[in-house]
Amino acid sequence: MFIKFLKPLSFIPALLLMYIIFSFSSQDGDTSADLSYEVSYTLVEAGNVILDADLQPTEIASLATRFNGVVRKLAHMTEYFALAIAVSFPLYVYGLRGIPLMLVAGLFCVAFAASDEYHQSFVDGRGPGVRDVLIDSFGVFWGIILVRIIGWTGRKTIFRPFSKKKKNKGNQEAAATEDAAYYKEASSIYPPRAQNRQSQVYQNGRQNSPYQQQSSTQNSWMYQNTQSNSGQNLYHGASQTASSSKKRRQNNAESLSEDMSLKKLIHDLTDKDTNEE
């Protein structure tokens, strides 16, 4: 929310620069010439100190007069270089990139330069110049290029994580929108009632189909056979158990009778020996 509030404020530097340029163009010829001469004299004097050229004041004034025209042209290019940056940056923030940015910002700044030159035709001692518009356009071009370089570098380094997060969020929203559209289309083609009706018709058709009846008959037959087989198995198992127990009792009785006969025989022999003695 705070960022949305700050975005429109990014155009304020451009408006301030336009006001400054318009104010300089409103000066008459003598005032503008004196101002540019003072700037030229200051630059030559600073160069004299830095280079230790030991120039005299007359020589400094002569060089300032000589370079006054160059300084004026550089001032034109510099102020429109700054204006191009001030105009391109907010447009870049709003998502205008590449060739569209160069076209929109460039046309706006060049149009303002042409209108400013036309405005000078109404000022005393000033007049329009096509050369000045070309110089201004050169500064505008490099200002836009600088904004593009800084913006590209920032997106690849500082703001890259934010762009990835925003891209992922956009992909998720797009996928959700696509899924919603798909389900909406599917529901429009097959409404819920139609789907229930189709399901009921399918179930009825499946129950009444010959294949379903045949399969149910086979299942019933298999169930009956299973029940009968299980009953027969139980009967045979019980009969086998009874016969085995009967045989076991018979074997026990036979062995018991044999034991009793053997004991009787031993007892008889023992009694016979006793009598003989």
Side-chain angles (χ1 to χ4, degrees):
M1 188 68 182
F2 184 70
I3 297 176
K4 290 182 179 180
F5 176 74
L6 290 178
K7 276 187 176 181
L9 299 179
S10 60
F11 288 99
I12 292 178
L15 297 175
L16 291 175
L17 283 172
M18 291 168 67
Y19 174 76
I20 293 171
I21 293 171
F22 185 82
S23 298
F24 285 146
S25 299
S26 299
Q27 297 176 349
D28 55 27
D30 294 335
T31 304
S32 179
D34 292 340
L35 180 62
S36 61
Y37 177 78
E38 290 178 2
V39 174
S40 301
Y41 189 89
T42 303
L43 292 174
V44 174
E45 191 175 18
N48 182 34
V49 173
I50 294 172
L51 299 175
D52 196 12
D54 195 15
L55 297 175
Q56 298 298 322
T58 56
E59 293 176 345
I60 293 174
S62 176
L63 289 174
T65 303
R66 183 185 301 177
F67 291 110
N68 188 23
V70 177
V71 171
R72 290 177 67 89
K73 304 308 177 185
L74 287 176
H76 267 274
M77 187 179 67
T78 303
E79 61 188 9
Y80 277 92
F81 175 81
L83 179 63
I85 294 174
V87 171
S88 301
F89 182 74
L91 294 177
Y92 194 93
V93 170
Y94 274 95
L96 197 62
R97 314 280 170 80
I99 300 301
L101 175 66
M102 297 188 69
L103 290 176
V104 174
L107 290 175
F108 179 81
C109 294
V110 171
F112 182 78
S115 65
D116 185 63
E117 292 296 324
Y118 178 73
H119 165 249
Q120 291 180 12
S121 63
F122 299 97
V123 180
D124 294 336
R126 306 286 296 272
V130 178
R131 183 182 296 177
D132 292 339
V133 176
L134 294 177
I135 293 173
D136 297 340
S137 301
F138 185 76
V140 168
F141 174 79
W142 287 110
I144 298 173
I145 293 297
L146 180 62
V147 170
R148 290 190 60 188
I149 292 173
I150 294 174
W152 183 84
T153 305
R155 286 191 295 111
K156 295 298 182 181
T157 56
I158 300 174
F159 300 103
R160 189 169 186 177
F162 299 99
S163 62
K164 284 184 177 180
K165 186 181 294 185
K166 187 175 181 180
K167 185 176 180 181
N168 293 332
K169 184 177 180 181
N171 292 334
Q172 291 177 359
E173 291 178 354
T177 304
E178 185 178 357
D179 293 340
Y182 173 77
Y183 287 121
K184 184 177 181 181
E185 184 179 359
S187 62
S188 63
I189 296 174
Y190 299 105
R193 292 184 178 179
Q195 292 178 359
N196 295 333
R197 190 180 300 111
Q198 288 179 356
S199 178
Q200 184 177 4
V201 170
Y202 173 75
Q203 294 293 336
N204 294 333
R206 185 179 178 184
Q207 292 177 0
N208 297 327
S209 62
Y211 174 78
Q212 185 70 19
Q213 295 177 357
Q214 183 178 0
S215 62
S216 62
T217 303
Q218 291 178 355
N219 292 333
S220 177
W221 179 78
M222 291 175 65
Y223 176 76
Q224 293 177 359
N225 288 336
T226 303
Q227 293 293 329
S228 61
N229 291 330
S230 62
Q232 292 177 2
N233 291 331
L234 291 173
Y235 174 76
H236 288 297
S239 60
Q240 290 177 0
T241 302
S243 60
S244 61
S245 61
K246 185 177 180 181
K247 288 181 180 180
R248 187 167 54 254
R249 287 195 300 269
Q250 290 177 358
N251 292 330
N252 291 333
E254 291 176 357
S255 61
L256 181 61
S257 60
E258 289 178 356
D259 292 337
M260 293 297 291
S261 301
L262 181 61
K263 287 181 179 180
K264 185 178 180 182
L265 179 61
I266 293 171
H267 185 269
D268 294 338
L269 291 175
T270 303
D271 293 336
K272 184 178 180 181
D273 292 336
T274 303
N275 294 325
E276 287 178 356
E277 289 178 359

